[in-house]
Amino acid sequence: MASEAELTPTSYIQHHLKNLTITVDDSSVFWQLHLDTLLMAVSLGVLMVFAFWLATRKATSGVPGKWQAFVEIVLEFVDQQARDAYPGRSKLVTPIAITLFCWILMMNLIKMIPADFFAIPLHALGVEYWKPVPTADVNATLGMSISVFFLMIFFALRAKGLGGFVHEFLTAPFGPWMFPANILLNIVELVSKPVSLAMRLFGNMYGGEIVFLLIWVLGGVGIAGAIAAGVFGLGWMLFHLLVIPLQAFIFMMLSIVYLSLMEEHH
């Protein structure tokens, strides 16, 4: 691979948007493993669990430490939002909400680290491609949204039973005589929920990554470019300090709302 200095702006951006891929089956694009996305997502998930463990290990009912206080604020906030969006009695909803929000937030925050901070040392170790933001990979966001989809089915079956779920699927909303239209409409409604969850998060993170790379490229065009890159980069970074938690919050809240809707009887 050519050095970073020899790359054109287009090839530089394309290079940083390419995943480290392991091909399981050369004849199929589907059977490809994005190793960077997998390792970053799992590592951040383990880090999240470890951070929570640190907060609970020395938890006290008295005056909490700074980290314990911060974790308690986050957990209480997410718990309250989940309770407001989900009127049921399931004890799974709050843990699901906390996991989604905190995990996605940590994956999104990697965007605040310039891509070359990963690419240059990894290139020295012989790793040609590394896309560090897991949520900028549609495979990661689809994986999470598909998990939410299976949870939706589980919540619906638990609330209505298999017979009730199938009956509602065939008869709502137009009645039993319109069951072909009911089936089509309900399939579209079910499939659209995880797809919209995945594409919303992916689109925002991927688009933000491209803008960050464009600003980074601008910094290499003389002194004026470096100044402009610094100004635009700071502005875009401050904007993303709002976008990053907002996207995690939207994914979490919509997931809880979908779980609530699946338990409603029509």
Side-chain angles (χ1 to χ4, degrees):
M1 184 193 75
S3 66
E4 296 288 346
E6 296 173 350
L7 292 174
T8 65
T10 300
S11 61
Y12 173 83
I13 293 173
Q14 290 175 342
H15 175 265
H16 281 297
L17 294 177
K18 186 175 178 63
N19 288 98
L20 176 63
T21 303
I22 296 178
T23 303
V24 180
D25 183 1
D26 293 333
S27 63
S28 174
V29 178
F30 179 79
W31 292 108
Q32 290 185 347
L33 179 64
H34 289 184
L35 190 60
D36 46 5
T37 297
L38 178 63
L39 290 178
M40 290 295 294
V42 171
S43 299
L44 291 169
V46 172
L47 179 61
M48 177 188 71
V49 173
F50 178 70
F52 284 172
W53 175 80
L54 286 178
T56 58
R57 185 171 64 93
K58 297 182 178 179
T60 175
S61 58
V63 179
K66 293 181 179 179
W67 180 242
Q68 180 187 337
F70 175 76
V71 170
E72 287 179 355
I73 291 172
V74 172
L75 296 186
E76 289 175 4
F77 169 76
V78 175
D79 178 57
Q80 186 60 50
Q81 297 302 316
R83 290 176 184 274
D84 291 342
Y86 178 78
R89 298 181 179 179
S90 177
K91 296 181 179 180
L92 293 174
V93 171
T94 294
I96 290 170
I98 291 170
T99 301
L100 288 175
F101 178 77
C102 295
W103 193 21
I104 293 173
L105 178 62
M106 292 190 68
M107 289 190 285
N108 289 353
L109 281 171
I110 298 298
K111 182 182 289 294
M112 306 306 291
I113 304 175
D116 283 333
F117 280 45
F118 293 94
I120 293 176
L122 287 172
H123 175 61
L125 295 174
V127 179
E128 297 296 337
Y129 302 103
W130 192 269
K131 190 176 176 182
V133 184
T135 46
D137 184 353
V138 71
N139 295 278
T141 58
L142 273 173
M144 290 186 292
S145 67
I146 290 172
S147 298
V148 172
F149 173 78
F150 285 121
L151 286 171
M152 289 164 53
I153 301 300
F154 169 74
F155 272 63
L157 292 175
R158 189 180 61 173
K160 305 170 186 177
L162 179 60
F165 177 73
V166 173
H167 179 266
E168 186 175 286
F169 196 82
L170 295 176
T171 60
F174 301 123
W177 297 107
M178 293 288 289
F179 72 91
N182 293 331
I183 293 174
L184 179 61
L185 182 63
N186 285 319
I187 288 175
V188 171
E189 182 182 4
L190 276 177
V191 173
S192 66
K193 286 182 171 66
V195 171
S196 63
L197 272 179
M199 298 309 294
R200 181 183 295 104
L201 179 58
F202 161 71
N204 279 276
M205 294 300 105
Y206 187 80
E209 190 77 354
I210 292 177
V211 174
F212 269 124
L213 291 172
L214 287 170
I215 293 172
W216 195 256
V217 168
L218 181 63
V221 187
I223 298 177
I227 295 174
V231 173
F232 291 140
L234 178 61
W236 190 245
M237 182 182 68
L238 294 175
F239 174 70
H240 258 65
L241 287 176
L242 299 175
V243 172
I244 285 171
L246 179 62
Q247 289 303 316
F249 178 77
I250 290 173
F251 193 102
M252 179 267 291
M253 285 300 297
L254 286 178
S255 298
I256 301 307
V257 169
Y258 293 158
L259 295 180
S260 176
L261 290 175
M262 293 300 292
E263 291 189 343
E264 293 182 359
H265 294 270
H266 300 283

